Amino acid sequence: MVGRVKSIKSNPFYVPPGYHLYLEAYPNGERPDAVSHLGVFLFATKGDFDSSIERPFPFSFAFEVVDLQQDGRNITCEMSPPYKKGLQKPSGSGSGSGRSKMVSHDTLQTHCYIKDDMILIQLIVNLS
């Protein structure tokens, strides 16, 4: 997990009824005290439906680091509103919410979470 990449952003995507979002992962943490962890955040960014959706983002969601052996040992981090600072009405690059220390590098090495320098992170949004 040691490398020169500070963060990796997903392509933006829409979640019904029109929230424009993206994920950002920090392989070596998002803060200096989190360098031994993977950090993951969900960001709201300006989108085509901003005038017709509720703010802040009203849904709970979970980040899930997928077990690439498909043994069902996924690592899940659940988030629920209200979000302290993130996922408000976006301005500039967006506002996010997540975990600076979602999972430690040691834990990621204990099972098949990393394969061929790849890690799979899913976003699960509870729309109900």
Side-chain angles (χ1 to χ4, degrees):
M1 298 290 301
V2 176
R4 296 173 193 229
V5 175
K6 179 176 169 48
S7 70
I8 302 165
K9 291 182 183 179
S10 73
N11 289 328
F13 54 90
Y14 281 95
V15 170
Y19 294 94
H20 198 227
L21 309 171
Y22 67 91
L23 289 177
E24 188 163 4
Y26 293 81
N28 296 300
E30 182 257 343
R31 304 183 317 237
D33 67 336
V35 296
S36 60
H37 288 72
L38 169 69
V40 183
F41 291 81
L42 178 64
F43 283 86
T45 188
K46 292 182 180 182
D48 295 335
F49 307 101
D50 287 353
S51 63
S52 62
I53 57 176
E54 179 184 345
R55 294 288 184 185
F57 187 73
F59 304 115
S60 60
F61 63 91
F63 302 117
E64 191 167 68
V65 176
V66 176
D67 167 19
L68 298 175
Q69 285 185 338
Q70 299 178 348
D71 286 346
R73 298 183 193 181
N74 296 352
I75 299 169
T76 305
C77 174
E78 296 180 3
M79 307 284 295
S80 297
Y83 304 105
K84 291 181 182 175
K85 296 179 185 174
L87 300 173
Q88 305 293 324
K89 186 174 182 178
S91 61
S93 62
S95 63
S97 189
R99 294 282 188 258
S100 294
K101 295 181 177 181
M102 181 183 163
V103 61
S104 73
H105 293 174
D106 290 341
T107 299
L108 290 173
Q109 298 296 331
T110 63
H111 198 61
C112 193
Y113 299 110
I114 302 171
K115 185 175 182 180
D116 299 327
D117 290 329
M118 182 192 77
I119 187 168
L120 178 59
I121 303 168
Q122 293 187 130
L123 173 68
I124 301 163
V125 179
N126 181 357
L127 297 175
S128 56

